[in-house]
Amino acid sequence: MRLAKEIEQYDTTGLTEEQVVHLDKLKHNLRVCACPSLYSQGDVSGKTNYVASIRCDDKCCFVCNFARQKMVRRRYMVWFADNKVVFIIKNSKGKEKFVTKSQLIKFPNYKIVQEVEYDLMHLTLSVPHYPGRGFNQNKYYYDDISTLFHRLRNKNEYFRSNVIGGEYGIETTNPENLHIHIHSLLLVKRKNKSRNCLHYELLRDWNRITENKDNQRLLIEAWQYPSIKAGNKMIDDNYIKELNPKGATIIGLECIYTLNAAGEKVRSSEWNSSDMIRAVMETISYHFAPQTFDKSEGRFDIDLFAQIKPVIYHKQLYRKFGVLHGETSLNIRSVSDGGELDIMNRVNTVDSVVDLETGELIEEPKTFVLTSPTHVYHDPDNNYKIILSCKARAEQYVLRAKTTGQAVAELRQKIKDSCN
């Protein structure tokens, strides 16, 4: 609501018509997102549970980004718990490929030749860019950096042989000199010095394909050598001399880690441990961080909003590749909810009451209501119990539904009718 208000008060002088339209649309989306939301109320216990919301699905909406982040994180937690290894399979012609457990059924004519353990790494990629000109005269180089990463994954032989799969997101910072960059989680075939070898091969190729013709640098100076060598003992002076001065000379690649109490990096090597899961979730969270929000100062950057909103409209900023590409269980949008509903299936199924006639535990009958979450409170002193205020109850709309499925279907229909 605060962001919507700041957009409303923002001076649009100097903006293009398209930028104004997108800011107005964002303002509208922010004010209607998740309003109303669906709640259930136990007819016996009176307990209130949150069920679902219709969301605006805007890339710059805090509610939608938070919901997408939690949903994706839950799915990856389940997936990693069940996929400690992947498989190399081969057909009669000798063609090999990586597949996951769930994908084996798709290749009946292939045989399993090896189980492969993997390490998880966090890759960060950027390109040389300049204020007002961006990368090779393209200020908004989202498609450029995505295409270059696609080329790296498909043309670099070391990547193809050793990176089993992964996912990535494109992030934007700094309105004065738009810094558009990639954060990627990689599944890397486990072997000795796998991180250094991969870094060595990727840096050379990424440097070659990211030449920026606006870059005035003709030579990599000796004083710059230490920063390029940092973190990889395999890189020497001869390696650096062969790099293109006009291309990227630094990439980030780290085995996933967490910070201990002393603030030191601790590699999360125990499979599916809380440390490993926390490190993975931290990497994935980069993709769903609030757009153009300065956490240190707690303020929005409306200038940056105005710049990038029309550019990222309908642009895919999050993708999976390799073996993860075929994992439907990791998709942001699922078949069941169409990407519109954030359905909390874990509620409404655990509440039960005693049948007075049989003594059996039965699911508690419920009443389903629509109301604005603006007027709903959570009691931190009582396990965050959900409380509907007097205003929420006065404005609530009681559905005819008797089950969660019926309530969600009725909510969908109500939204469709209102749109018509």
Side-chain angles (χ1 to χ4, degrees), residues 232-247:
N232 193 345
K233 295 179 180 179
M234 294 177 63
I235 295 178
D236 57 21
D237 290 356
N238 290 330
Y239 177 97
I240 298 176
K241 289 175 182 177
E242 293 179 359
L243 295 178
N244 185 342
K246 295 181 179 292

Side-chain angles (χ1 to χ4, degrees), residues 122-157:
H122 177 199
L123 174 68
T124 307
L125 296 173
S126 60
V127 299
H129 56 283
Y130 302 97
R133 294 173 292 165
F135 175 66
N136 284 325
Q137 297 296 315
N138 186 359
K139 185 177 180 180
Y140 306 106
Y141 50 95
Y142 293 92
D143 290 337
D144 295 347
I145 196 169
S146 179
T147 299
L148 290 172
F149 188 35
H150 183 270
R151 185 190 303 178
L152 184 72
R153 300 196 308 270
N154 287 274
K155 299 297 184 182
N156 185 286
E157 287 298 327

